[in-house]
Amino acid sequence: MIQIIDETGAAPLNGLQSLADTIASSLELRGDVTIRFSTENESRELNKRYRGIDAPTDVLSFPIQEEFPEGFYCGDILICLPLAQEQAMEACHSLLLEVQILILHGLLHLAGYDHETDNGQMEQLQRELIASLLPVTDHT
């Protein structure tokens, strides 16, 4: 099960649950996932703590991959909504599309992909999944 939490009160949630479930299924992800929308301050704090980078980032993934009494827990994804808004404007597409891309990116990390260490496999798979799962047209 994927749980989506919007602590900002401004995330475009329309259709995200279904899309996240579809992506997780296509990646054969097992277990529960929490996707949470946050502020730049929290993103910066967590990015500094876990990656040593003192700046906010658009998406952070925390693979847990652990069995609990309640069931298997795959991991957490944090999306910085203000950065997603900036990136959507820069790319000339909607915030919803940007959030969809960030969810896909985060789920790829939970599935074990890492664009910082692979030879482009994650980037290639992300492009393929965007083409097959995300809207063909996007109106801002």
Side-chain angles (χ1 to χ4, degrees), residues 35-116:
I35 300 171
R36 196 162 60 79
F37 292 94
S38 76
T39 64
E40 281 188 62
N41 287 339
E42 183 179 15
S43 174
R44 175 188 298 273
E45 178 185 314
L46 292 174
N47 203 24
K48 184 176 181 181
R49 183 183 314 158
Y50 292 103
R51 298 181 65 228
I53 300 171
D54 188 14
T57 188
D58 55 358
V59 61
L60 288 168
S61 298
F62 300 96
I64 295 174
Q65 308 297 332
E66 194 169 322
E67 188 71 46
F68 291 96
E70 305 82 33
F72 191 79
Y73 196 77
C74 190
D76 298 323
I77 298 170
L78 181 98
I79 295 174
C80 177
L81 194 60
L83 285 183
Q85 290 170 323
E86 287 177 25
Q87 290 172 180
M89 287 176 42
E90 290 169 8
C92 297
H93 59 231
S94 70
L95 175 58
L96 178 59
L97 179 57
E98 185 67 26
V99 166
Q100 292 171 337
I101 292 167
L102 294 175
I103 287 173
L104 170 58
H105 189 87
L107 289 170
L108 282 165
H109 278 298
L110 294 187
Y113 292 92
D114 188 351
H115 54 85
E116 293 181 5

Side-chain angles (χ1 to χ4, degrees), residues 125-140:
L125 181 55
Q126 181 170 314
R127 279 195 304 270
E128 291 170 10
L129 290 172
I130 287 171
S132 67
L133 298 176
L134 299 187
V136 175
T137 59
D138 179 57
H139 304 286
T140 53

Side-chain angles (χ1 to χ4, degrees), residues 6 18 47 55:
D6 178 17
S18 176
N47 203 24

